[in-house]
Amino acid sequence: MIRPGDTLDSVFRRLQLSVEDLAVVRGLPGVRQSLDLLRPGDVITLTHLNGELKSLTRRVSETETLNVQRDPGGRFAAQIVENDLDVRVAPVHGTITSSLFRTINDVGASDSVALQLAEVFRYDIDFAQELQPGDSFTLVLEKVWRDGEFLRDGDILAAEFVNAGKAY
């Protein structure tokens, strides 16, 4: 896992891996931009034997993974693998108790869903002034998964909001 202040060079040196291997890998077409921007918490999987890099894997986006492999002849090859997303549709229902954000979170959705919902009804409901306990909403919401792991909430596909007894 990448720590604050880490560079690939410092990671390779800390793990006593060949920095020459790193230079060769970074020189492969399309690899440098996938490796150079590191953030604390990023995960790069390295396999090695006696200081010689055998493979490197890094997720570069929600849908792409960089895979670098050393072949038996000692040459490196890189490819970007597309990771399919599984978008599932889920009903979500909630009744306001204190705030829209709290209720959205209580029903298992993220703050981005609350912002989307407020945007959908921005011309009908003043969520800062008119929201009251007992108001309710029902949504059809996309949930985005990858390899069996929940990633994030997606778009609201349909929504109903009941405010002060009036359905929108």
Side-chain angles (χ1 to χ4, degrees):
M1 184 173 299
I2 300 300
R3 302 184 300 208
D6 273 347
T7 64
L8 273 180
D9 185 74
S10 69
V11 169
F12 269 61
R13 289 178 191 282
R14 182 172 61 242
L15 297 174
Q16 297 179 343
L17 299 177
S18 166
V19 291
E20 289 81 18
D21 285 349
L22 175 59
V24 171
V25 167
R26 286 186 70 238
L28 295 171
V31 170
R32 182 174 295 203
Q33 61 271 26
S34 297
L35 287 179
D36 283 356
L37 180 60
L38 300 177
R39 291 181 209 94
D42 285 353
V43 175
I44 297 177
T45 304
L46 304 166
T47 59
H48 54 90
L49 180 63
N50 299 324
E52 182 178 86
L53 182 67
K54 297 296 182 184
S55 70
L56 177 150
T57 304
R58 180 186 189 200
R59 187 166 309 281
V60 293
S61 74
E62 192 173 72
T63 59
E64 295 179 326
T65 300
L66 169 67
N67 285 329
V68 177
Q69 299 287 326
R70 184 189 294 262
D71 68 21
R75 293 177 305 274
F76 287 103
Q79 66 176 341
I80 298 289
V81 177
E82 290 290 325
N83 306 111
D84 293 332
L85 297 180
D86 178 18
V87 180
R88 303 173 191 174
V89 176
V92 177
H93 176 78
T95 301
I96 304 298
T97 54
S98 60
S99 75
L100 179 62
F101 284 91
R102 172 86 185 251
T103 304
I104 289 284
N105 292 157
D106 288 347
V107 298
S110 63
D111 288 351
S112 68
V113 174
L115 294 171
Q116 284 185 65
L117 185 59
E119 180 66 19
V120 167
F121 295 108
R122 72 184 178 275
Y123 298 115
D124 301 307
I125 303 166
D126 180 347
F127 283 88
Q129 301 294 322
E130 297 175 0
L131 198 63
Q132 51 191 293
D135 287 353
S136 64
F137 57 87
T138 302
L139 310 174
V140 177
L141 179 64
E142 291 179 331
K143 298 278 191 174
V144 181
W145 296 73
R146 181 188 58 230
D147 299 329
E149 178 184 337
F150 176 74
L151 294 181
R152 62 178 170 80
D153 290 320
D155 294 330
I156 294 174
L157 302 177
E160 177 185 61
F161 200 96
V162 178
N163 177 242
K166 183 177 179 184
Y168 296 91

